[in-house]
Amino acid sequence: MKKDSRTPHIQTRLLRMGKHPAYDGGSPVNPAVVRASTVLFDNVAHQRDMRARRGGERLFTYGARGTPTNFALEDAISELEGAYRSKLFPTGLAAIAMTLLAYLKPGDHVLMSDSVYEPARKLSETFLAPYQIECSFFAADGSDAAAKLRPNTRMIYAECPGSLVYEMCDMPALAALAHKHGALLACDNTWGSGVQYRPLALGADISVMAATKYLSGHSDVMMGSVATTEAAWPALSRYCDAFGMTVSPDDAYLVLRGMRSIAPRLAMHESHALQVARHLQSIPEIQTVFCPALEQHPGHEIWKRDCEGTNGLISFELKAGHDQAAADRFIDGLALFGLGASWGGYESLVTPTDMRNARSVADWSGRGIVVRLHIGLEDPRDLIADLDAAFDAMRRG
Ligand SMILES: *Cc1c(COP(=O)(O)O)cnc(C)c1O
């Protein structure tokens, strides 16, 4: 090489080499993990052009707007949800919070389902009022939603099936109601994860998921997603860019990897959960087993119409006379069920609940203690034996 004053010195070259690896041969199965804050442009014109277009187009222009790894996951989620586009968030709760902030303005009212994830209820009850955004709740089956609309209702926010006891609502009917009123319909779709339930196909404008759960599937990533129709997209996109919402490309890679196996995992969770649910129905201390796939479940007909299946979540209510101490003895008597928040990983979990705090429209004051189970991929015969041993521990007092 001709030596001239423009040839970079070794230290400079060390910083510039290996940036654009050319693969001699084929390409990897999975997208590369592209980690970036700075994104470099060829010249000023290139940079100006990218900046001018990035409001409307998804372009790789800065790490906070996502890298090609994030884009690959966004595309996968959009496909699963049947959405125009999707955004990624550091947690499912952040996805919910940004959905509320992006679409509601001072003076607006959001009508929320009584069955929403409890932190979403707390967020709405506590943090919307200072922004002059009103929030109230409708019955989880949607029966009083029309009566509870206000002139300033800008969004109906549903969760179906509901958290903890899986109430079903008629999503197409809620969509018709919202749209007739000039409001948006948003739905927390963490339960269905885009496989068992698809709110956008049923008329919702916005679908929120905690990718933390079944999409990631291995209890090792926190992430949320919001998928929208084309009409609802610009407001969300603007807010995410303005508020710096992004996720690590390493986490995006993990969720994408988890998503490859979501359908067979869910089929197995469903099969195991149904075996356990039927067994629980024979336990004398149990009043009700909650799972939308059971014929006795209120909303079972809607589940049959709108869902592709069920997942690993089931809950049960103890009969009157069994107090929290009894439920605690049951929980502590389990050996194969982990005790902890969240669900959607491969392993079985148990969580105590307090339905009196989790609902404000439905009255749970006279009802029994509810325990939630997440049925994992373990052999269901072992899980049933473990549950039987824990009920024995509960009976021993
Ligand atoms: C877990 C969960 C969330 C929140 O997800 P995080 O990633 O834990 O913040 C939201 N909605 C539902 C229904 C959930 O179960």
Side-chain angles (χ1 to χ4, degrees):
M1 195 203 286
K2 186 168 156 281
K3 188 103 185 138
D4 72 30
S5 60
R6 295 290 302 272
T7 303
H9 297 88
I10 181 66
Q11 183 60 32
T12 305
R13 281 188 283 130
L14 273 171
L15 298 189
R16 297 174 71 85
M17 60 180 58
K19 285 196 155 186
H20 305 285
Y23 295 112
D24 232 350
S27 27
V29 168
N30 294 301
V33 176
V34 179
R35 313 186 94 261
S37 52
T38 300
V39 175
L40 301 175
F41 301 98
D42 299 338
N43 50 49
V44 178
H46 184 209
Q47 185 182 45
R48 281 211 184 100
D49 178 48
M50 291 292 118
R51 289 207 164 162
R53 286 163 44 199
R54 70 181 183 180
E57 293 172 59
R58 188 178 61 189
L59 298 166
F60 184 33
T61 59
Y62 186 54
R65 288 169 180 250
T67 80
T69 318
N70 303 48
F71 299 161
L73 176 59
E74 287 174 3
D75 287 346
I77 287 174
S78 298
E79 175 134 11
L80 204 58
E81 291 266 47
Y84 172 64
R85 279 181 60 182
S86 304
K87 279 279 186 187
L88 305 174
F89 299 84
T91 63
L93 188 54
I96 295 170
M98 197 48 55
T99 296
L100 296 171
L101 285 179
Y103 296 102
L104 298 169
K105 298 185 307 300
D108 288 346
H109 169 242
V110 55
L111 185 57
M112 283 194 132
S113 167
D114 198 33
S115 67
V116 295
Y117 176 65
E118 228 177 309
R121 168 187 289 275
K122 289 213 185 89
L123 164 73
S124 303
E125 285 176 337
T126 313
F127 292 96
L128 293 182
Y131 295 92
Q132 276 82 50
I133 297 166
E134 297 169 20
C135 167
S136 64
F137 293 86
F138 67 95
D141 64 1
S143 53
D144 63 356
K148 285 186 170 168
L149 283 174
R150 298 178 188 176
N152 58 338
T153 304
R154 170 83 181 115
M155 176 187 278
I156 298 180
Y157 180 102
E159 184 178 321
C160 179
S163 272
L164 305 176
V165 292
Y166 325 113
E167 303 96 327
M168 296 296 306
C169 65
D170 187 335
M171 201 58 67
L174 271 187
L177 184 71
H179 296 154
K180 198 168 134 230
H181 197 72
L184 293 163
L185 175 61
C187 179
D188 185 325
N189 190 30
T190 303
W191 186 98
S193 294
V195 178
Q196 312 286 46
Y197 193 58
R198 300 174 82 227
L200 296 180
L202 299 173
D205 305 282
I206 300 147
S207 178
V208 183
M209 297 193 290
T212 308
K213 310 284 168 63
Y214 284 122
L215 296 181
S216 110
H218 295 75
S219 307
D220 53 2
V221 194
M222 300 298 304
M223 198 180 295
S225 67
V226 180
T228 80
T229 60
E230 186 168 3
W233 175 254
L236 181 79
S237 178
R238 273 201 311 277
Y239 263 77
C240 289
D241 291 342
F243 282 68
M245 284 292 154
T246 194
V247 304
S248 146
D250 298 271
D251 290 345
Y253 182 89
L254 282 175
V255 172
L256 199 48
R257 175 198 256 246
M259 280 176 70
R260 309 291 178 196
S261 64
I262 189 173
R265 276 189 288 111
L266 276 171
M268 202 161 175
H269 283 293
E270 169 175 47
S271 148
H272 293 186
L274 287 173
Q275 290 175 60
V276 171
R278 287 193 202 102
H279 181 72
L280 292 178
Q281 286 179 313
S282 72
I283 303 283
E285 289 86 355
I286 290 182
Q287 177 72 36
T288 319
V289 179
F290 301 98
C291 169
L294 297 174
E295 289 90 59
Q296 302 85 346
H297 190 83
H300 175 69
E301 290 305 316
I302 294 179
W303 172 83
K304 267 209 304 213
R305 186 191 71 186
D306 292 345
C307 295
E308 290 297 322
T310 192
N311 58 25
L313 289 171
I314 47 178
S315 305
F316 63 84
E317 176 187 8
L318 289 171
K319 283 187 178 152
H322 299 281
D323 58 6
Q324 188 61 55
D328 293 355
R329 282 198 303 280
F330 163 79
I331 291 171
D332 286 339
L334 289 164
L336 292 180
F337 288 74
L339 172 58
S342 204
W343 46 271
Y346 51 81
E347 77 292 14
S348 289
L349 297 172
V350 59
T351 323
T353 75
D354 186 347
M355 291 306 297
R356 289 165 195 81
N357 284 338
R359 300 291 183 270
S360 57
V361 179
D363 180 11
W364 280 81
S365 57
R367 306 233 3 209
I369 304 282
V370 172
V371 175
R372 184 184 72 193
L373 302 174
H374 176 254
I375 305 302
L377 305 180
E378 302 90 344
D379 190 310
R381 291 170 295 189
D382 298 327
L383 296 177
I384 286 170
D386 196 36
L387 289 162
D388 283 344
F391 280 114
D392 282 342
M394 181 179 91
R395 289 176 195 120
R396 278 196 299 274

